[in-house]
Each structure stands twice: as structure tokens, then as C-alpha cells.
PDB file of all heavy atoms in Angstrom:
ATOM      1  N   LEU X 713    -125.517 -21.224 -45.593  1.00 95.00           N
ATOM      2  CA  LEU X 713    -124.619 -20.098 -45.322  1.00 95.00           C
ATOM      3  C   LEU X 713    -124.377 -19.285 -46.582  1.00 95.00           C
ATOM      4  O   LEU X 713    -124.110 -19.853 -47.658  1.00 95.00           O
ATOM      5  CB  LEU X 713    -123.291 -20.630 -44.794  1.00 95.00           C
ATOM      6  CG  LEU X 713    -122.164 -19.648 -44.566  1.00 95.00           C
ATOM      7  CD1 LEU X 713    -122.471 -18.689 -43.428  1.00 95.00           C
ATOM      8  CD2 LEU X 713    -120.845 -20.383 -44.279  1.00 95.00           C
ATOM      9  N   ARG X 714    -124.481 -17.946 -46.456  1.00 95.00           N
ATOM     10  CA  ARG X 714    -124.166 -17.090 -47.597  1.00 95.00           C
ATOM     11  C   ARG X 714    -123.490 -15.831 -47.069  1.00 95.00           C
ATOM     12  O   ARG X 714    -124.022 -15.184 -46.105  1.00 95.00           O
ATOM     13  CB  ARG X 714    -125.416 -16.719 -48.381  1.00 95.00           C
ATOM     14  CG  ARG X 714    -125.114 -15.726 -49.500  1.00 95.00           C
ATOM     15  CD  ARG X 714    -126.360 -15.414 -50.366  1.00 95.00           C
ATOM     16  NE  ARG X 714    -126.057 -14.348 -51.309  1.00 95.00           N
ATOM     17  CZ  ARG X 714    -125.410 -14.475 -52.432  1.00 95.00           C
ATOM     18  NH1 ARG X 714    -124.985 -15.629 -52.807  1.00 95.00           N
ATOM     19  NH2 ARG X 714    -125.187 -13.446 -53.252  1.00 95.00           N
ATOM     20  N   ILE X 715    -122.330 -15.497 -47.639  1.00 96.00           N
ATOM     21  CA  ILE X 715    -121.546 -14.311 -47.265  1.00 96.00           C
ATOM     22  C   ILE X 715    -121.187 -13.592 -48.540  1.00 96.00           C
ATOM     23  O   ILE X 715    -120.749 -14.194 -49.527  1.00 96.00           O
ATOM     24  CB  ILE X 715    -120.265 -14.713 -46.502  1.00 96.00           C
ATOM     25  CG1 ILE X 715    -120.627 -15.654 -45.319  1.00 96.00           C
ATOM     26  CG2 ILE X 715    -119.531 -13.494 -46.015  1.00 96.00           C
ATOM     27  CD1 ILE X 715    -119.492 -16.440 -44.830  1.00 96.00           C
ATOM     28  N   SER X 716    -121.323 -12.257 -48.535  1.00 94.00           N
ATOM     29  CA  SER X 716    -120.994 -11.507 -49.762  1.00 94.00           C
ATOM     30  C   SER X 716    -120.531 -10.112 -49.389  1.00 94.00           C
ATOM     31  O   SER X 716    -120.920  -9.539 -48.358  1.00 94.00           O
ATOM     32  CB  SER X 716    -122.182 -11.444 -50.712  1.00 94.00           C
ATOM     33  OG  SER X 716    -123.270 -10.732 -50.123  1.00 94.00           O
ATOM     34  N   HIS X 717    -119.731  -9.515 -50.250  1.00 94.00           N
ATOM     35  CA  HIS X 717    -119.334  -8.139 -50.156  1.00 94.00           C
ATOM     36  C   HIS X 717    -118.771  -7.696 -51.519  1.00 94.00           C
ATOM     37  O   HIS X 717    -118.553  -8.540 -52.407  1.00 94.00           O
ATOM     38  CB  HIS X 717    -118.242  -7.923 -49.068  1.00 94.00           C
ATOM     39  CG  HIS X 717    -116.912  -8.384 -49.456  1.00 94.00           C
ATOM     40  ND1 HIS X 717    -115.834  -7.536 -49.741  1.00 94.00           N
ATOM     41  CD2 HIS X 717    -116.413  -9.662 -49.680  1.00 94.00           C
ATOM     42  CE1 HIS X 717    -114.778  -8.256 -50.099  1.00 94.00           C
ATOM     43  NE2 HIS X 717    -115.105  -9.526 -50.054  1.00 94.00           N
ATOM     44  N   ARG X 718    -118.579  -6.415 -51.689  1.00 92.00           N
ATOM     45  CA  ARG X 718    -118.017  -5.874 -52.950  1.00 92.00           C
ATOM     46  C   ARG X 718    -116.970  -4.852 -52.607  1.00 92.00           C
ATOM     47  O   ARG X 718    -117.256  -3.690 -52.248  1.00 92.00           O
ATOM     48  CB  ARG X 718    -119.158  -5.249 -53.778  1.00 92.00           C
ATOM     49  CG  ARG X 718    -118.719  -4.788 -55.159  1.00 92.00           C
ATOM     50  CD  ARG X 718    -119.858  -4.104 -55.899  1.00 92.00           C
ATOM     51  NE  ARG X 718    -120.938  -5.034 -56.159  1.00 92.00           N
ATOM     52  CZ  ARG X 718    -121.009  -5.813 -57.249  1.00 92.00           C
ATOM     53  NH1 ARG X 718    -120.042  -5.769 -58.149  1.00 92.00           N
ATOM     54  NH2 ARG X 718    -122.033  -6.630 -57.453  1.00 92.00           N
ATOM     55  N   SER X 719    -115.736  -5.257 -52.684  1.00 92.00           N
ATOM     56  CA  SER X 719    -114.614  -4.359 -52.423  1.00 92.00           C
ATOM     57  C   SER X 719    -113.328  -5.060 -52.824  1.00 92.00           C
ATOM     58  O   SER X 719    -113.320  -6.213 -53.285  1.00 92.00           O
ATOM     59  CB  SER X 719    -114.579  -3.976 -50.904  1.00 92.00           C
ATOM     60  OG  SER X 719    -114.196  -5.115 -50.129  1.00 92.00           O
ATOM     61  N   ARG X 720    -112.200  -4.391 -52.575  1.00 90.00           N
ATOM     62  CA  ARG X 720    -110.904  -4.987 -52.843  1.00 90.00           C
ATOM     63  C   ARG X 720    -110.449  -5.855 -51.676  1.00 90.00           C
ATOM     64  O   ARG X 720    -109.380  -6.481 -51.734  1.00 90.00           O
ATOM     65  CB  ARG X 720    -109.870  -3.900 -53.141  1.00 90.00           C
ATOM     66  CG  ARG X 720    -110.073  -3.157 -54.440  1.00 90.00           C
ATOM     67  CD  ARG X 720    -109.032  -2.047 -54.628  1.00 90.00           C
ATOM     68  NE  ARG X 720    -107.673  -2.555 -54.587  1.00 90.00           N
ATOM     69  CZ  ARG X 720    -106.816  -2.333 -53.623  1.00 90.00           C
ATOM     70  NH1 ARG X 720    -107.191  -1.647 -52.551  1.00 90.00           N
ATOM     71  NH2 ARG X 720    -105.594  -2.835 -53.674  1.00 90.00           N
ATOM     72  N   ASN X 721    -111.227  -5.892 -50.607  1.00 92.00           N
ATOM     73  CA  ASN X 721    -110.895  -6.770 -49.484  1.00 92.00           C
ATOM     74  C   ASN X 721    -111.207  -8.213 -49.843  1.00 92.00           C
ATOM     75  O   ASN X 721    -111.869  -8.483 -50.823  1.00 92.00           O
ATOM     76  CB  ASN X 721    -111.715  -6.347 -48.236  1.00 92.00           C
ATOM     77  CG  ASN X 721    -111.438  -4.887 -47.867  1.00 92.00           C
ATOM     78  OD1 ASN X 721    -110.332  -4.401 -47.988  1.00 92.00           O
ATOM     79  ND2 ASN X 721    -112.511  -4.194 -47.446  1.00 92.00           N
ATOM     80  N   HIS X 722    -110.730  -9.131 -49.017  1.00 93.00           N
ATOM     81  CA  HIS X 722    -110.945 -10.557 -49.295  1.00 93.00           C
ATOM     82  C   HIS X 722    -111.464 -11.281 -48.036  1.00 93.00           C
ATOM     83  O   HIS X 722    -110.953 -11.044 -46.922  1.00 93.00           O
ATOM     84  CB  HIS X 722    -109.607 -11.210 -49.744  1.00 93.00           C
ATOM     85  CG  HIS X 722    -109.136 -10.713 -51.053  1.00 93.00           C
ATOM     86  ND1 HIS X 722    -109.718 -11.040 -52.253  1.00 93.00           N
ATOM     87  CD2 HIS X 722    -108.120  -9.863 -51.347  1.00 93.00           C
ATOM     88  CE1 HIS X 722    -109.076 -10.456 -53.267  1.00 93.00           C
ATOM     89  NE2 HIS X 722    -108.092  -9.726 -52.734  1.00 93.00           N
ATOM     90  N   LEU X 723    -112.448 -12.135 -48.236  1.00 94.00           N
ATOM     91  CA  LEU X 723    -112.953 -12.951 -47.163  1.00 94.00           C
ATOM     92  C   LEU X 723    -111.964 -14.076 -46.875  1.00 94.00           C
ATOM     93  O   LEU X 723    -111.367 -14.642 -47.787  1.00 94.00           O
ATOM     94  CB  LEU X 723    -114.315 -13.542 -47.560  1.00 94.00           C
ATOM     95  CG  LEU X 723    -115.413 -12.580 -47.884  1.00 94.00           C
ATOM     96  CD1 LEU X 723    -116.625 -13.338 -48.414  1.00 94.00           C
ATOM     97  CD2 LEU X 723    -115.797 -11.750 -46.663  1.00 94.00           C
ATOM     98  N   ALA X 724    -111.810 -14.394 -45.626  1.00 94.00           N
ATOM     99  CA  ALA X 724    -110.943 -15.499 -45.156  1.00 94.00           C
ATOM    100  C   ALA X 724    -111.707 -16.411 -44.262  1.00 94.00           C
ATOM    101  O   ALA X 724    -112.505 -15.919 -43.426  1.00 94.00           O
ATOM    102  CB  ALA X 724    -109.674 -14.937 -44.480  1.00 94.00           C
ATOM    103  N   LEU X 725    -111.501 -17.678 -44.405  1.00 94.00           N
ATOM    104  CA  LEU X 725    -112.232 -18.663 -43.591  1.00 94.00           C
ATOM    105  C   LEU X 725    -111.243 -19.573 -42.889  1.00 94.00           C
ATOM    106  O   LEU X 725    -110.338 -20.137 -43.522  1.00 94.00           O
ATOM    107  CB  LEU X 725    -113.144 -19.487 -44.522  1.00 94.00           C
ATOM    108  CG  LEU X 725    -114.176 -20.377 -43.843  1.00 94.00           C
ATOM    109  CD1 LEU X 725    -115.151 -19.576 -43.041  1.00 94.00           C
ATOM    110  CD2 LEU X 725    -114.911 -21.231 -44.843  1.00 94.00           C
ATOM    111  N   MET X 726    -111.435 -19.675 -41.559  1.00 92.00           N
ATOM    112  CA  MET X 726    -110.540 -20.481 -40.738  1.00 92.00           C
ATOM    113  C   MET X 726    -111.318 -21.640 -40.157  1.00 92.00           C
ATOM    114  O   MET X 726    -112.469 -21.469 -39.646  1.00 92.00           O
ATOM    115  CB  MET X 726    -109.953 -19.634 -39.624  1.00 92.00           C
ATOM    116  CG  MET X 726    -109.009 -20.393 -38.683  1.00 92.00           C
ATOM    117  SD  MET X 726    -108.375 -19.366 -37.319  1.00 92.00           S
ATOM    118  CE  MET X 726    -107.337 -18.220 -38.246  1.00 92.00           C
ATOM    119  N   GLY X 727    -110.772 -22.842 -40.210  1.00 89.00           N
ATOM    120  CA  GLY X 727    -111.416 -24.011 -39.653  1.00 89.00           C
ATOM    121  C   GLY X 727    -111.297 -24.110 -38.151  1.00 89.00           C
ATOM    122  O   GLY X 727    -110.619 -23.252 -37.505  1.00 89.00           O
ATOM    123  N   GLY X 728    -111.992 -25.090 -37.576  1.00 81.00           N
ATOM    124  CA  GLY X 728    -111.971 -25.224 -36.134  1.00 81.00           C
ATOM    125  C   GLY X 728    -110.615 -25.576 -35.561  1.00 81.00           C
ATOM    126  O   GLY X 728    -110.372 -25.339 -34.379  1.00 81.00           O
ATOM    127  N   ASP X 729    -109.684 -26.094 -36.380  1.00 82.00           N
ATOM    128  CA  ASP X 729    -108.340 -26.427 -35.900  1.00 82.00           C
ATOM    129  C   ASP X 729    -107.340 -25.268 -35.981  1.00 82.00           C
ATOM    130  O   ASP X 729    -106.190 -25.423 -35.699  1.00 82.00           O
ATOM    131  CB  ASP X 729    -107.798 -27.644 -36.675  1.00 82.00           C
ATOM    132  CG  ASP X 729    -107.740 -27.365 -38.163  1.00 82.00           C
ATOM    133  OD1 ASP X 729    -108.177 -26.273 -38.609  1.00 82.00           O
ATOM    134  OD2 ASP X 729    -107.260 -28.262 -38.903  1.00 82.00           O
ATOM    135  N   GLY X 730    -107.857 -24.082 -36.416  1.00 82.00           N
ATOM    136  CA  GLY X 730    -107.008 -22.942 -36.519  1.00 82.00           C
ATOM    137  C   GLY X 730    -106.292 -22.771 -37.805  1.00 82.00           C
ATOM    138  O   GLY X 730    -105.599 -21.745 -38.027  1.00 82.00           O
ATOM    139  N   SER X 731    -106.439 -23.691 -38.736  1.00 88.00           N
ATOM    140  CA  SER X 731    -105.819 -23.523 -40.056  1.00 88.00           C
ATOM    141  C   SER X 731    -106.774 -22.909 -41.004  1.00 88.00           C
ATOM    142  O   SER X 731    -107.994 -23.108 -40.957  1.00 88.00           O
ATOM    143  CB  SER X 731    -105.338 -24.899 -40.582  1.00 88.00           C
ATOM    144  OG  SER X 731    -106.467 -25.782 -40.710  1.00 88.00           O
ATOM    145  N   TYR X 732    -106.262 -22.125 -41.980  1.00 92.00           N
ATOM    146  CA  TYR X 732    -107.080 -21.437 -42.940  1.00 92.00           C
ATOM    147  C   TYR X 732    -107.578 -22.392 -44.050  1.00 92.00           C
ATOM    148  O   TYR X 732    -106.852 -23.243 -44.541  1.00 92.00           O
ATOM    149  CB  TYR X 732    -106.318 -20.291 -43.584  1.00 92.00           C
ATOM    150  CG  TYR X 732    -106.252 -19.051 -42.727  1.00 92.00           C
ATOM    151  CD1 TYR X 732    -105.158 -18.754 -41.949  1.00 92.00           C
ATOM    152  CD2 TYR X 732    -107.335 -18.182 -42.690  1.00 92.00           C
ATOM    153  CE1 TYR X 732    -105.095 -17.629 -41.176  1.00 92.00           C
ATOM    154  CE2 TYR X 732    -107.295 -17.024 -41.881  1.00 92.00           C
ATOM    155  CZ  TYR X 732    -106.160 -16.746 -41.137  1.00 92.00           C
ATOM    156  OH  TYR X 732    -106.111 -15.636 -40.354  1.00 92.00           O
ATOM    157  N   VAL X 733    -108.860 -22.223 -44.387  1.00 93.00           N
ATOM    158  CA  VAL X 733    -109.436 -22.935 -45.500  1.00 93.00           C
ATOM    159  C   VAL X 733    -109.127 -22.221 -46.777  1.00 93.00           C
ATOM    160  O   VAL X 733    -108.826 -22.826 -47.813  1.00 93.00           O
ATOM    161  CB  VAL X 733    -110.957 -23.129 -45.305  1.00 93.00           C
ATOM    162  CG1 VAL X 733    -111.570 -23.862 -46.480  1.00 93.00           C
ATOM    163  CG2 VAL X 733    -111.231 -23.853 -43.988  1.00 93.00           C
ATOM    164  N   LEU X 734    -109.240 -20.897 -46.770  1.00 93.00           N
ATOM    165  CA  LEU X 734    -108.948 -20.106 -47.964  1.00 93.00           C
ATOM    166  C   LEU X 734    -108.546 -18.693 -47.534  1.00 93.00           C
ATOM    167  O   LEU X 734    -108.945 -18.189 -46.512  1.00 93.00           O
ATOM    168  CB  LEU X 734    -110.156 -20.076 -48.927  1.00 93.00           C
ATOM    169  CG  LEU X 734    -111.519 -19.613 -48.425  1.00 93.00           C
ATOM    170  CD1 LEU X 734    -111.714 -18.122 -48.576  1.00 93.00           C
ATOM    171  CD2 LEU X 734    -112.590 -20.310 -49.256  1.00 93.00           C
ATOM    172  N   ASN X 735    -107.762 -18.066 -48.399  1.00 92.00           N
ATOM    173  CA  ASN X 735    -107.273 -16.695 -48.249  1.00 92.00           C
ATOM    174  C   ASN X 735    -106.580 -16.436 -46.937  1.00 92.00           C
ATOM    175  O   ASN X 735    -106.681 -15.330 -46.364  1.00 92.00           O
ATOM    176  CB  ASN X 735    -108.438 -15.696 -48.436  1.00 92.00           C
ATOM    177  CG  ASN X 735    -108.981 -15.708 -49.867  1.00 92.00           C
ATOM    178  OD1 ASN X 735    -108.344 -16.204 -50.780  1.00 92.00           O
ATOM    179  ND2 ASN X 735    -110.172 -15.154 -50.045  1.00 92.00           N
ATOM    180  N   GLY X 736    -105.853 -17.402 -46.445  1.00 90.00           N
ATOM    181  CA  GLY X 736    -105.094 -17.222 -45.216  1.00 90.00           C
ATOM    182  C   GLY X 736    -103.638 -16.947 -45.454  1.00 90.00           C
ATOM    183  O   GLY X 736    -103.114 -17.154 -46.567  1.00 90.00           O
TER     184      GLY X 736
END
């Protein structure tokens, strides 16, 4: 898996249980 972007926005990742892994 690879995800990338360039901006002031932030990637957020949510697990299968509905809780955020990062940036939530």
C-alpha cells in the first residue's frame, strides 16, 4: 500500500472497528 499527496490537508486512517489509527 502506498498513499501520497502534497498539500496542507492531512490523510486520516480508520480501522475496521471505527476508531482512528492516525489523524482522527
